[in-house]
Amino acid sequence: MTEEKYQEIAPLLELLHSNGRSYDYEKIKSAFLYAKELHEGQMRLSGEPYIMHPISVAEIVANLGLDTDSVCAAFLHDTVEDCPDKTNLDEITRLFGSDVALLVDGVTKIKSINVEEKEEAQIESIRKMLLAMSKDIRVIFIKLCDRVHNMRTLYVKKDAKRRATALETMHVYAPLAHRLGMQKIKQELETYALQYLDPIGYNEIKAHIEEKYGRNVNFIETIKANVKEELEKINISFTLGGRVKTVYSVYRKMYNQNKTFDEIYDFYALRIIVNTELECYTVLGLIHELYKSVPGRFKDYISTPKPNMYQSLHTTVIGKDGIPFEVQIRTKEMHQVAEYGIAAHWKYKSGEKSSADIDTKLDWISKLIATEEEAIDPEDFMHAFKIDIFHDETFVFTPKGDVIALPLGSTLIDFAYKIHTGVGNKMIGGKINGRIAPIDSVPQNGNIVEIITSNASKGPSRDWLNIVKTGEARNKIRQWFKKEKRAENIVVGKSLVDKEFLHMRSTCSDDEKNSIVASVAKRIGMMDADDLYNALGYGGISISKIDKKIRDEYEKTVKTKDNKEAPSVQLEPTITPTTKKKHKSSGGVIVDGEEGCVVKFAKCCNPLPGEDIVGFITKGYGISIHKIDCPNVQSAFSNDEYVSRFVKAEWDTPSNNSYRSSYESSLQILVTNRISILADISTALAEMKIDIVSINTKNVEDTTLFNMTISCRDISHFNSIISRLRSIKDVIRVTRAMGTR
Ligand code: MN
């Protein structure tokens, strides 16, 4: 006999005992007592004690064959949310272990997502997000059981609430149950949902069914017995199954295919699974001998499969009392496709194409459930469910509540480009759950992500190419550079090509180089040399893809040239390396081509050791050294008069005495206003032993822009300073300032 205090769960305990598996009964009992104590005094709308709900959910969970921890979590699933002053996850972990706590937490989190009023297009994403958020698939099972009981008792709720819950059940939970192979749960959810969504339609069909089939409660069982007897006579092995259509599936068939109730011939259906295709036809003949067939209702999907690969023979025949029923005959293989290939069907309906992965995984679970009967220990069995279905995707919300799926590890920049190219290009910062976050932050499942844009934004930065995770964002950033920065890209591209010529110790003139590059461009399907330079500049093509072709073309050119004439003399200094000796280094830079000149670093771009540089012969002020991608260089390049005044320049090695230990560089820091933010920035710089040469500030609404000049060793030192600054709280972005003067 069950003790008095466990009287309420006596049916549940009996159910567990009867299914012949091992459970931790003490744990289950104490979870029940704990939940009862926590919910003490709480009532459901129906007037019954609240604990009746968790008990019912636990029974449904136990009926599914789930394990001890799932049953415990079912008892506790509403406690953390509904009794926050009496318990919490830590307490549940302490009492029942981390697995139970994880399950309770998962079910609670799902509850906080409002999926009731979403548009159709969002629903598939929401289903996926629910799966993604519940790291353990048992969370979804418990949630489905919770929903089943909520639907059973939905009548107590107000009308508007009923409708919203029914809609959510129909659109989100019933399809999830279907995907997980939980047919009974799916059917129960659909039946209740339909009762609230279209009570008139539901009652009408229910009445029709009772009127037409009500007197034949055991119809399908009788038919099965008859057919079994006949099939055994012809000596082939077979499996026999039967089903009765639910009110909802009749409803759907009537509305989707515009049929009347009397045109539904498959209210009853019998399924016969055999071994070979030939046997399918043999069995078909037998069925037609046994029963009178309905003309025009025979379909041979074996010789002509449906587009979704479905194969089967269908025929409708008339049984006892003139009741029609459908017979489906197929082989085991065809049955597999019919059962598990439904994945494709589901995707097709929701317009989803790229989620083959989830289908594979869910099908696997659904297969596990199908074989679950075979006395596997539930603890082992459930262990298999602790899988991460979307190990490669993250689901986040927009401020409007739309769900966006991103590859795992995606940053705010990826999110911005996913929303819209324009959003990405004008992005200046972002927020996660309402708090400012660095643009390279990685949002987590369920986060609300917001992008801050500004029309004053100068567009993406080249560093973003190294930060973003998705190809989509990378492509869009490249596209921007391709379109907006063609002139700059060409200079960058030329410098890359020049390095190649340097490696080849080329003596080509500018024109020769251009014609070599132009030939290469044509070979790879581009218009001219500038197009190729541009592509190299924005990263659309990498130099390693074309260096061999450049060599090829170069060798051809050189050979022709050697045969014709002596090597041409270079008339103009260019950034091409010359054969002249290298000149003395000054300020840590070695300049080719000009002797004894003074070098100064251009203020517009403040080049740093490690970066590609070029010298420009000024009138009377020596040679100024620019970064090769400095905007001023780029504009000078388009001017014929200036182009000849560029000279090759490169950094000296640090060991030479001309090498300086520090160089100036400018950066811009955009921050959210906060009292001690400047102190935080200068402390960070001081810790890194960085001198601030100058600083000025500009306020824009609730942000401040710092323009700062600092001294540093080289480009990698500079980059490390930037990343340190980016990690400071409330810093929106840090970029290198260039080309402003
Ligand atoms: Mn509940």
Side-chain angles (χ1 to χ4, degrees), residues 29-42:
K29 284 175 179 171
S30 71
F32 158 68
L33 288 182
Y34 186 56
K36 192 177 174 187
E37 184 194 320
L38 292 172
H39 288 300
E40 191 64 57
Q42 297 176 352

Side-chain angles (χ1 to χ4, degrees), residues 436-622:
I436 293 281
I439 56 172
D440 59 351
S441 313
V442 176
Q444 305 297 309
N445 270 324
N447 282 169
I448 300 166
V449 177
E450 190 180 341
I451 298 301
I452 304 165
T453 58
S454 161
N455 282 329
S457 157
K458 285 182 186 153
S461 136
R462 281 190 202 268
D463 319 339
W464 292 11
L465 290 170
N466 301 321
I467 297 170
V468 294
K469 167 85 181 174
T470 57
E472 185 183 356
R474 197 167 290 123
N475 283 338
K476 285 175 172 175
I477 295 167
R478 282 194 188 128
Q479 284 303 315
W480 187 87
F481 278 106
K482 182 181 177 182
K483 258 169 63 187
E484 305 288 326
K485 298 277 171 176
R486 184 173 164 93
E488 185 184 318
N489 294 332
I490 289 175
V491 177
V492 174
K494 269 189 179 149
S495 80
L496 291 167
V497 170
D498 280 334
K499 274 192 191 150
E500 281 309 307
F501 280 104
L502 178 65
H503 285 314
M504 298 182 295
R505 310 199 170 281
S506 121
T507 55
C508 288
S509 72
D510 241 13
D511 282 349
E512 282 167 336
K513 278 197 310 190
N514 272 332
S515 82
I516 288 169
V517 176
S519 319
V520 174
K522 295 223 168 65
R523 273 172 67 175
I524 61 170
M526 288 186 170
M527 284 293 289
D528 54 24
D530 275 1
D531 271 2
L532 180 54
Y533 289 137
N534 185 33
L536 287 166
Y538 73 80
I541 190 166
S542 92
I543 187 79
S544 62
K545 286 258 153 60
I546 56 156
D547 55 355
K548 224 186 140 282
K549 295 189 177 74
I550 290 178
R551 272 157 209 265
D552 281 0
E553 291 296 329
Y554 171 68
E555 263 152 38
K556 276 193 222 161
T557 311
V558 172
K559 274 183 192 142
T560 343
K561 201 164 74 175
D562 284 351
N563 291 343
K564 281 183 191 160
E565 56 187 79
S568 65
V569 179
Q570 266 189 262
L571 300 174
E572 300 168 326
T574 67
I575 49 171
T576 319
T578 65
T579 50
K580 290 182 191 173
K581 255 202 294 181
K582 275 181 186 167
H583 289 274
K584 251 193 268 163
S585 137
S586 149
V589 172
I590 300 167
V591 180
D592 271 356
E594 287 297 314
E595 203 162 354
C597 46
V598 186
V599 163
K600 66 184 184 88
F601 293 98
K603 286 285 178 208
C604 51
C605 55
N606 286 319
L608 292 172
E611 295 184 296
D612 292 335
I613 47 173
V614 65
F616 182 74
I617 306 161
T618 63
K619 289 197 167 135
Y621 300 97

Side-chain angles (χ1 to χ4, degrees), residues 50 53 57 77-78 111 146 150:
Y50 195 89
H53 166 65
V57 176
H77 80 270
D78 282 330
K111 229 179 287 180
D146 179 38
N150 287 338

Side-chain angles (χ1 to χ4, degrees), residues 89-151:
L89 288 173
D90 289 341
E91 191 59 12
I92 288 177
T93 309
R94 190 179 68 78
L95 293 168
F96 303 102
S98 55
D99 267 32
V100 173
L102 185 110
L103 297 176
V104 171
D105 186 36
V107 176
T108 310
K109 274 189 186 136
I110 288 181
K111 229 179 287 180
S112 65
I113 302 172
N114 172 24
V115 292
E116 284 165 5
E117 288 145 18
K118 289 288 182 298
E119 289 166 24
E120 188 62 36
Q122 286 287 309
I123 288 170
E124 161 70 2
S125 303
I126 289 171
R127 289 182 201 127
K128 287 170 76 178
M129 187 173 66
L130 292 184
L131 290 166
M133 283 180 67
S134 35
K135 301 183 181 85
D136 185 319
I137 201 79
R138 287 177 295 179
V139 169
I140 294 290
F141 290 165
I142 297 167
K143 179 65 199 171
L144 287 169
C145 296
D146 179 38
R147 182 49 61 106
V148 166
H149 190 248
N150 287 338
M151 292 305 289

Side-chain angles (χ1 to χ4, degrees), residues 185-217:
I185 294 225
K186 173 209 164 205
Q187 288 176 0
E188 185 168 355
L189 290 176
E190 284 172 347
T191 302
Y192 280 114
L194 183 62
Q195 278 178 45
Y196 293 102
L197 292 173
D198 184 358
I200 296 171
Y202 174 84
N203 289 326
E204 198 180 53
I205 290 170
K206 195 160 177 262
H208 271 310
I209 291 173
E210 267 158 25
E211 188 197 334
K212 189 166 179 180
Y213 303 112
R215 282 161 291 128
N216 300 280
V217 197

